[in-house]
């Protein structure tokens, strides 16, 4: 698992951004092995008070969605592109 969120000394994330409109510890991305050498990836919205979107679709706090290569994840004013190989 990797936690992504706004830069914060008291509650650090694994990947941090200097974006005041992004929640602290906003999302978690899990890599789930399939037992045959491949992985699937899941994004779960944690305690995000600000909107989290995957490909312009809002993901509600406490829910998860499967990520695919080149999915755009938007948190606050920051958009990152998910890459997997």
């Amino acid at each position: 698992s990797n936690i992504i969120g706004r830069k914060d000394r008291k509650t650090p994330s694994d990947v941090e951004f200097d974006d005041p409109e992004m929640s602290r510890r906003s999302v978690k991305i899990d890599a789930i092995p399939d037992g045959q050498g491949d992985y699937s990836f899941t994004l779960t919205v944690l305690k995000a008070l600000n909107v989290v979107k995957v490909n312009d679709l809002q993901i509600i706090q406490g829910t998860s969605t499967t990520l695919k290569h080149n999915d755009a994840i938007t948190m606050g004013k920051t958009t990152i592109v998910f890459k997997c190989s």
Side-chain angles (χ1 to χ4, degrees):
S1 293
N2 285 292
I3 307 293
I4 302 172
R6 180 178 76 230
K7 186 181 275 188
D8 186 80
R9 288 184 184 179
K10 292 181 181 179
T11 54
S13 296
D14 300 309
V15 179
E16 297 181 318
F17 292 91
D18 192 13
D19 180 347
E21 293 189 26
M22 181 186 294
S23 296
R24 293 175 229 151
R25 300 180 62 83
S26 186
V27 301
K28 174 177 72 164
I29 296 178
D30 290 305
I32 304 159
D34 70 356
Q36 299 177 7
D38 287 326
Y39 291 86
S40 62
F41 300 91
T42 302
L43 176 140
T44 303
V45 178
L46 301 173
K47 285 190 167 185
L49 298 178
N50 299 311
V51 174
V52 174
K53 294 181 180 179
V54 175
N55 299 327
D56 294 324
L57 177 66
Q58 184 173 346
I59 310 301
I60 299 169
Q61 181 174 317
T63 63
S64 300
T65 189
T66 300
L67 291 175
K68 297 177 294 306
H69 183 68
N70 284 331
D71 279 348
I73 303 165
T74 303
M75 298 168 285
K77 291 186 175 184
T78 303
T79 298
I80 59 175
V81 178
F82 181 74
K83 300 284 187 178
C84 60
S85 53

